[in-house]
Amino acid sequence: MASSAAAGRRLLLLRHHHLLPRRYISSSSAADSLDDGGGGGRLKIFDRDLKRRHRDRAAWAMRETDGFVDAVAENLLDRLEDCRKAFPSALCLGGSAGPVRRLLRGRGGIEKLIMMDMSADMVRKWRESENATDDGPESHFVVGDEEFLPIKESSQDLIISCLGLHWTNDLPGAMIQCRLALKPDGLFLAAILGGETLKELRIACTIAQMEREGGISPRMSPLAQVRDAGNLLTRAGFTLPGVDVDQYTVKYNSALELVEHLRAMGETNALFQRNPVLKRDTALATAAIYQSMFGLEDGSIPATFQVIYMTGWREHPSQQKAKRRGSATISFSDIQKQFAPSEN
Amino acid sequence: MRRTASMLFSHAGAGHRGIPQALADVLVCPLSKKPLRYCEASGCLVSEAVGVSFPIEDGIPCLVPKDGKLLEDNSEKSEQEPIPRDSSG
């Protein structure tokens, strides 16, 4: 457990190392900020204020239904049907909480749902749509930051986060806060975008920038890899962790349409180290390279979205556990003798 | 906390000022994770532990640390730092 946590920390550090100038990682402070669950976040990768404004914009740019987001929300909620337990009180964190609420349809036996997002406009929009439909569980709305979860300890049965947590600077810290907010035997369900996401755009951006500007700047955020997700869950102290990956390919008419979709989802670049200027020339070159490298026969372009689904529970005595090492009373050679006598 | 909750409850029916009891029960200060007090005069949620008040806008409590305001009578908190780090965690 301890060694896996240390390995996770090393991995995280390695992952951030090449992205950040030295001054951000001052000796041990980076490791410390990943460790403490509460007020960490000295390691700043994402501009949370900018992300908040992105989400304000997404609140009005959002489509009524979005095929990709709905598919992810549906997949996430499907997991509730696998549990025999009911979850009377649930917390739904930022990202695509709107579709989660819409697609819930009584699953998981949720009676009270708290919806939280960083953007006040987004929360207001959810409230309007909640008033319009007037079915589903009793809903409450809070403006809050996932990095500073304002939820009482051991108060929730279920925490869902659909496509939101990949924008947190301190993902382990945010997950630890989620675990603390859960009741014992409470369920944590999250979907985050994985490292394979938008690989086509990544390539096209890099080539266009090399070609037009003679160098590259980070246009895309670093995303978690699948192998990190398991470490994250164990690090955050969840029991019975489960990770699985799904890959979606969305087709667009052009690269500009893809960028419009990203804006509508509030998934545009929010790195601190971003280049605030995007030359028209470079943008058009990116679109052209995208089209020529990845374009399909029918003229559309595909974009890959990799979604990592994470499931974890807060520890509880009733959960199954592996036995202590060395606690077995029967030797394996005896078992072999018992069940396979014909081979000798 | 029970006093806070009852105070909030009395306001829940009265327009947009208070927040529902069910929500008030689970909300805590995002920095210190200590209970919040509802201030009737300003219509804010006050975290005594760190001396910060959080606004309630349109019936939606806003608990992002950046939106919180330092209480003026709390002179011992440094004014340069909007988020007191020591008390969190």
Side-chain angles (χ1 to χ4, degrees), chain A residues 15 68 72 162-167 171 190-198 202 221-226 246 248 262 265 267 304-310:
Chain A
R15 210 151 53 81
F68 165 62
V72 174
C162 182
L163 300 177
L165 282 176
H166 51 268
W167 288 113
L171 184 50
I192 60 171
L193 289 177
E196 290 289 295
T197 303
L198 297 177
R202 237 174 251 263
S221 72
L223 293 163
Q225 298 294 326
V226 181
D246 220 338
Y248 301 85
L262 293 179
M265 291 195 291
E267 297 289 347
T304 310
F305 290 92
Q306 186 189 38
V307 183
I308 303 175
Y309 296 94
M310 297 191 281

Side-chain angles (χ1 to χ4, degrees), chain A residues 82-118:
Chain A
D82 301 335
C83 308
R84 261 182 260 161
K85 199 171 137 64
F87 305 96
S89 61
L91 169 69
C92 194
L93 298 180
S96 310
V100 169
R101 192 186 171 282
R102 178 157 45 79
L103 297 170
L104 202 55
R105 290 195 290 260
R107 274 180 278 195
I110 294 171
E111 288 161 18
K112 246 181 0 194
L113 181 68
I114 299 172
M115 295 171 79
M116 190 186 97
D117 196 86
M118 280 196 294

Side-chain angles (χ1 to χ4, degrees), chain A residues 158-215:
Chain A
L158 169 69
I159 294 183
I160 303 181
S161 167
C162 182
L163 300 177
L165 282 176
H166 51 268
W167 288 113
T168 48
N169 285 309
D170 180 14
L171 184 50
M175 285 169 68
I176 289 169
Q177 292 185 59
C178 285
R179 179 174 59 89
L180 292 176
L182 282 171
K183 287 179 192 167
D185 211 21
L187 174 64
F188 171 76
L189 268 180
I192 60 171
L193 289 177
E196 290 289 295
T197 303
L198 297 177
K199 56 182 176 191
E200 299 93 347
L201 188 58
R202 237 174 251 263
I203 295 168
C205 262
T206 309
I207 294 175
Q209 276 191 315
M210 288 288 273
E211 199 180 280
R212 301 289 153 126
E213 295 168 18

Side-chain angles (χ1 to χ4, degrees), chain A residues 37-42 44 49 52 112 114 117-118 120 123-124 127 138 140-145 147-153 155-156 177, chain B residues 1 16 19-31 33 35-36 57-67 83-85 88-89:
Chain A
R42 267 160 286 179
K44 293 268 188 265
D49 291 329
R52 203 171 175 189
K112 246 181 0 194
I114 299 172
D117 196 86
M118 280 196 294
V123 173
R124 250 177 242 131
R127 194 169 62 171
E138 175 192 346
H140 299 293
F141 301 90
V142 183
V143 177
D145 191 335
E147 291 182 359
F148 300 95
L149 202 67
I151 303 295
K152 197 163 124 191
E153 215 170 287
S155 66
Q156 302 297 312
Q177 292 185 59
Chain B
M1 183 64 205
H16 289 291
I19 50 173
Q21 163 94 62
L23 188 56
D25 282 347
V26 298
L27 289 185
V28 292
C29 168
L31 298 167
K33 310 277 188 225
L36 293 163
E57 283 168 13
D58 204 9
I60 301 172
C62 197
L63 295 171
V64 180
K66 213 155 191 153
D67 293 348
I83 300 165
R85 289 240 166 88
S88 61

